[in-house]
Amino acid sequence: MSRPHRVTASAPAKVNLYLGVGPRRGDGFHPLATLYHAIGLRDVVTASRPRSGGRRGTEPVVSVDGDQSLLLTDVPRGPENIAARAASLLAQQYGVDEPVLLHIDKRIPVAGGLAGGSADAAATLTACDALWGLGATQADLLDLAAELGSDVPFALLGGTAAGAGRGELVTSVPVPGDYWWVVARSREGMSTPAVYAAFDHTPQGAAAVEPTIPPAMTAALAEHDVERLGAVLNNDLQPAALGLRPDLAAVLRHGLGAGAVGALVSGSGPSCLFLGRDQEHAAHVAGRLAEDVSADVLVTSGPVPGARIESKD
Ligand code: C5P
């Protein structure tokens, strides 16, 4: 069977329905108890072989495009790009000694608290595994993903999943039904380490204990009780994120005022999330947010599948 010369894979953005954060560990990371949920916004990565006679060297070459409102200039193009790191790690693990071109079509807000970089890494692992015909198992890829970043394993898995450790230990939680979300994007990104550092200095951070996922959240999901889920959405990083970006409080308030059944900052922010009762209701909330606070909004649903191949040729 001939190997493909180009493989395109995609991976989803994540939200944390529950993000419980414990006290900083010795290695600088924080223990998490989280419920991840993949939503229908996907970055798309195409991995291909350079034409023969082209460049030498085996370092991955990255190019990026996408919606220009997405802070694309903040995405590194060199070996430090997380997609390049993913391809290099996979190549090193399997003894692959050939160059690869990675093209990232960004659709997930950059530095938005939606794990867009993690999606790029997961899509790259999936695309390069197929490009190089490695036949890695999902368990193999999950191990490599964990080395790349705390949220990368979940981007491979998708759906809804519990996350433990620093977020890298993921277990699927099958849940019935869909949920409709409004995502309010921000024009400025936020640094995840800065938000975790700020968390350490909040009263909540200072008093943090080993986190657990509350049974009420698991029950709301099992019963597909949208109103109850809205009431138990929680992000322990939110006070820290709002401390750094006080303007987000008004966005959250307006979304709730517009009837959202729940509202929270996504992960380390600054994207804000609003849960609608259904698609129509989410569209209504989005319309009000756009009108009242000129929010840059989109409506999407979850859960959706994790990283997957879109095409090969
Ligand atoms: O794992 P990842 O590279 O995404 O983490 C980025 C940064 O976020 C870490 O360097 C750390 O400062 C912070 N972080 C943390 N605890 C976690 C996950 C991330 O403190 N569980």
Side-chain angles (χ1 to χ4, degrees), residues 34-38 154 157-163 169-175 213:
T34 188
L35 263 175
Y36 287 115
H37 183 74
F154 175 69
L157 201 62
T160 302
L169 305 173
V170 287
T171 313
S172 283
V173 178
V175 298
I213 294 168

Side-chain angles (χ1 to χ4, degrees), residues 24 28-32 118 148-151 165-167 192-193 196:
R24 183 180 282 268
F29 287 89
H30 294 71
L32 304 184
S118 302
L148 292 162
S150 305
D151 292 334
R166 60 180 166 86
T192 302
Y196 273 102

